[in-house]
Amino acid sequence: MDRIWVLAETAESGPTPVTLELLTAARAHASTVEAVAWGPDTASIAGTVGEYGATKVYDVGDLAGALPGAPVAAAIAALVASGDAPDAIFVPASYDGRDIAGRLSAKLDRPVLTNITGFAQGDGQLTTEHPVFGGTLVVTARFTGDGPGIFVVRAKSFTAERSGGGPAEVVAVAPGDVGATGAAKIVERHVEAASGPKLDEAAVVVSGGRGLGAPEHYALVEELARLLHGAPGASRAIVDAGWVPYSHQVGQTGKTVKPTVYVACGISGATQHLVGMKGSKHIVAINKDQEAPIFSVSDLGIVGDVHKVLPALIEQLKSRG
Amino acid sequence: MNVVVCVKQIPDPAAPGALDPSTHTLVRSGKLILDDSDSYGVEMALQLAGNVEGSEVTIVSMAPNGETSGLRTALAMGAARAILVSDDALAGSDALSTAKVLAAAARRAAPDLVIAATESTDGYTGTMPVQMAELLGMPSVTFAKRVSTDGTTLKVERQTESGYDDVECPLPAVVTVTAGVVEPRYPSFKGIMAAKSKPIDVLSIGDLGLDAGQVGRAGARQEVVDVSEAEARGSGEIVVDEGDGAQRIVAFLEQLKVV
Ligand SMILES: Cc1cc2nc3c(=O)[nH]c(=O)nc-3n(C[C@H](O)[C@H](O)[C@H](O)COP(=O)(O)OP(=O)(O)OC[C@H]3O[C@@H](n4cnc5c(N)ncnc54)[C@H](O)[C@@H]3O)c2cc1C
Ligand SMILES: Nc1ncnc2c1ncn2[C@@H]1O[C@H](COP(=O)(O)O)[C@@H](O)[C@H]1O
């Protein structure tokens, strides 16, 4: 492939980790990698995306509170219509990434491949890997027909590596004309106070599920995470129940984590949970049901009651100081 | 306010899934049921419609073999009517083709608000609703965890990586809701009886003015080339806690030098 574009999302601290992962993956399959970014200060990421292989950043600019889906997709579609089309567009499987991919797909009349966790080359063409049924099977797929293909990739599918490139050239592009489709506006942002390592970056993740029995018992999970210098996570069941905020959710619709150690407490191990944590280096599970599917992926499984095992574990770790 | 809810009818997720060995698509034979993810959308629609006078909730679905059992569930919860698109030519449709079909079907109900789930249980591409919004020329707000509307403006708390955003948007618009956003009601006996006589329009793609080459397997521009077993993650030691469970975990963590 000649050219791949990577949708570069930025957070306060610069390009998001998945952006750097996608730039790295793109380098393996194309001679030219370029980024598309938006936001008030895109110039500030030119150095970092350049270090990971992008030679150019198409800057859609400040969206003045508009949700990015419509304007960013319109800007990309306009570039493609002007003849400046890449062979493929890599998009992070994030909230805004999925919105942009969906809009772009309809605008370009091209399908989208989603939930990608790997790439390969087959017959000179890019093929994609998708875990299904909780990651027990891998489906390999590809686009047919004319490009560019839109590839939505899950976080943590690749390890980000620097290319040693210099700063990318920043090229301003106009946000496309979006009419009514661009009318959704952010009026206020709410950021949860966070302490300790981030869930998707922590070396240890301790997650709790419905087996904890009641919201107040989540404190045991938090305490254990703190003692192990890790981050607390959760199954969707207890997020939906309102015990913990959504930002704690591990799994298909939540975060993908790959810590050194993952401790699952009172989590059954549904397929949608497994795809988010199966890549952990070591897995410890505590569940009172010997048949729980979580035990099929654990390195150490304790068939027991979280209300007995967790307090004892916390006690022992504390006494070690 | 006309509210349209997209409702997917899927094989029972409790039964083990299977891929068709020749087409590599999910096997969709047998009875289909309302995707649990969409029960939140139906409930949300009923609540929002209840707050705006003169509202009606229409269910829209695309499914094989004229399947209506999931639609009856949604009608029993309280929706007024349903539109089902069922056509042999739709087998193997990708998300974009599905969006073309559902956008054409939804237009028939002149929607002010279209509600879908963030992602379906069986396909989970999570892109269909936004593709549909683009085809309908509407704004969209995805990942809603709280929604309200006065019939003119939509107010949404939208999930983000680190919290949530308050988002506002004029109607007509598309919104996708996450599980847990509302508590879906159980259909009452009265509701189940009433649902039996509620209208379901069954349409073919010809009725919608769509061309068979645009949708289904003929229109799909992606293909599965291989399905293989993933590298199995061998399960390790499983021990029954005899009061020594915590100690075992500490020993394991020590061995990994985590403590
Ligand atoms: C489209 C879609 C997306 C989804 N995305 C996600 C996702 O991102 N993340 C996710 O987690 N889920 C997701 N799910 C939900 C998933 O299918 C499961 O419903 C969920 O993971 C179950 O959570 P749980 O394990 O906490 O609860 P349960 O399945 O109810 O399991 C509770 C477990 O606790 C054990 N237990 C009970 N009491 C005790 C005790 N005292 N001590 C020890 N063990 C005990 C039980 O044996 C049981 O195994 C998704 C579902 C769908 C349809
Ligand atoms: N065939 C369908 N019929 C009705 N609604 C659908 C269909 N496919 C997808 N949807 C809606 O779009 C959402 C996202 O679907 P998906 O893109 O498959 O993850 C689903 O949860 C439904 O609300």
Side-chain angles (χ1 to χ4, degrees):
Chain A
M1 258 183 206
D2 289 337
R3 193 152 72 126
I4 295 178
W5 285 355
V6 173
L7 216 61
E9 279 192 292
T10 45
E12 306 79 63
S13 50
T16 56
V18 61
T19 297
L20 306 180
E21 292 158 22
L22 291 197
L23 288 169
T24 307
R27 259 165 33 219
H29 298 285
S31 44
T32 303
V33 176
E34 295 167 343
V36 179
W38 62 94
D41 187 18
T42 303
S44 69
I45 67 163
T48 314
V49 297
E51 268 178 62
Y52 286 83
T55 49
K56 208 187 257 184
V57 182
Y58 290 99
D59 175 14
V60 185
D62 187 8
L63 304 179
L67 289 181
V72 175
I76 296 174
L79 285 172
V80 170
S82 75
D84 191 12
D87 300 294
I89 301 171
F90 286 8
V91 179
S94 60
Y95 306 97
D96 291 339
R98 291 206 320 192
D99 282 3
I100 294 167
R103 292 263 169 202
L104 189 59
S105 153
K107 279 184 185 295
L108 299 179
D109 195 28
R110 292 290 304 152
V112 190
L113 284 166
T114 49
N115 283 303
I116 295 168
T117 56
F119 288 110
Q121 298 268 1
D123 304 334
Q125 233 196 330
L126 198 57
T127 60
T128 53
E129 292 166 3
H130 312 252
V132 299
F133 300 145
T136 48
L137 291 181
V138 180
V139 164
T140 305
R142 69 173 171 213
F143 286 111
T144 57
D146 293 334
I150 304 165
F151 300 82
V152 180
V153 187
R154 291 188 63 95
K156 294 247 158 62
S157 300
F158 303 95
T159 307
E161 279 164 28
R162 287 189 172 77
S163 68
E169 175 198 358
V170 180
V171 180
V173 295
D177 178 17
V178 289
T181 61
K185 296 268 174 346
I186 300 168
V187 291
E188 196 174 339
R189 312 202 86 139
H190 301 265
V191 177
E192 286 155 13
S195 60
K198 286 172 114 170
L199 179 55
D200 50 359
E201 290 167 15
V204 177
V205 172
V206 183
S207 285
R210 187 145 42 199
L212 291 170
E216 57 272 21
H217 298 144
Y218 190 75
L220 293 170
V221 167
E222 289 175 312
E223 173 83 5
L224 180 59
R226 201 180 54 75
L227 288 167
L228 296 173
H229 310 289
S235 71
R236 192 176 90 174
I238 72 168
V239 171
D240 287 353
W243 297 6
V244 292
Y246 177 80
S247 53
H248 288 52
Q249 184 173 319
V250 172
Q252 181 182 301
T253 341
K255 298 212 162 64
T256 303
V257 300
K258 289 193 173 175
T260 310
V261 183
Y262 187 87
V263 188
C265 312
I267 291 178
S268 60
T271 56
Q272 297 93 348
H273 188 79
L274 296 185
V275 292
M277 44 67 77
K278 221 181 131 188
S280 304
K281 207 155 186 180
H282 304 279
I283 297 171
V284 178
I286 309 164
N287 194 305
K288 69 175 186 190
D289 173 11
Q290 183 136 22
E291 302 297 319
I294 191 76
F295 288 131
S296 69
V297 298
S298 66
D299 302 288
L300 175 62
I302 304 291
V303 182
D305 185 345
V306 284
H307 303 301
K308 294 198 180 118
V309 179
L310 281 180
L313 184 53
I314 288 166
E315 215 34 64
Q316 289 186 30
L317 290 172
K318 272 188 177 161
S319 69
R320 295 163 61 98
Chain B
M1 180 173 62
N2 293 332
V3 185
V4 161
V5 193
C6 296
V7 156
K8 200 169 181 184
Q9 302 180 85
I10 63 167
D12 188 347
L19 294 178
D20 182 306
S22 63
T23 60
H24 298 311
T25 51
L26 270 178
V27 175
R28 281 174 213 281
S29 57
K31 194 168 128 63
L32 304 180
I33 59 171
L34 170 69
D35 185 343
D36 189 48
S37 303
D38 283 322
S39 61
Y40 301 92
V42 175
E43 178 63 37
M44 175 62 75
L46 294 170
Q47 290 186 12
L48 294 177
N51 292 336
V52 178
E53 200 145 336
S55 295
E56 189 176 64
V57 176
T58 303
I59 304 300
V60 170
S61 185
M62 171 180 128
N65 310 325
E67 181 66 62
T68 57
S69 59
L71 301 182
R72 293 283 173 208
T73 307
L75 294 173
M77 287 172 73
R81 61 198 189 95
I83 302 174
L84 170 69
V85 189
S86 196
D87 197 311
D88 290 345
L90 290 170
S93 288
D94 58 29
L96 181 55
S97 301
T98 306
K100 288 176 183 172
V101 170
L102 292 176
R107 268 200 203 98
R108 301 205 153 202
D112 299 298
L113 177 62
V114 178
I115 301 179
T118 298
E119 58 185 11
S120 63
T121 300
D122 65 339
Y124 55 90
T125 74
T127 52
M128 199 299 291
V130 179
Q131 290 164 320
M132 194 176 161
E134 182 66 25
L135 296 169
L136 290 170
M138 291 183 189
S140 53
V141 187
T142 53
F143 278 97
K145 52 177 221 156
R146 192 159 290 164
V147 184
S148 63
T149 184
D150 57 5
T152 314
T153 307
L154 187 70
K155 292 189 179 182
V156 175
E157 286 181 14
R158 179 180 190 246
Q159 278 171 5
T160 61
E161 287 292 336
S162 51
Y164 66 95
D165 289 345
D166 291 321
V167 176
E168 282 186 20
C169 171
L171 295 180
V174 175
V175 64
T176 74
V177 297
T178 56
V181 67
V182 280
E183 190 57 51
R185 68 193 69 182
Y186 285 105
S188 63
F189 179 69
K190 220 175 106 200
I192 294 169
M193 294 316 286
K196 296 196 171 157
S197 56
K198 287 182 177 172
I200 299 183
D201 280 337
V202 184
L203 305 175
S204 68
I205 55 167
D207 295 332
L208 292 173
L210 292 168
D211 176 39
Q214 258 189 313
V215 295
R217 213 157 278 131
R221 285 150 300 161
Q222 59 194 43
E223 61 181 5
V224 171
V225 291
D226 183 46
V227 178
S228 57
E229 297 272 331
E231 214 175 295
R233 207 200 143 93
S235 70
E237 198 186 0
I238 300 173
V239 290
V240 177
D241 177 36
E242 308 280 3
D244 59 345
Q247 229 164 321
R248 293 242 181 191
I249 296 174
V250 172
F252 184 74
L253 296 174
E254 269 175 346
Q255 187 196 319
L256 300 176
K257 301 200 166 36
V258 171
V259 296

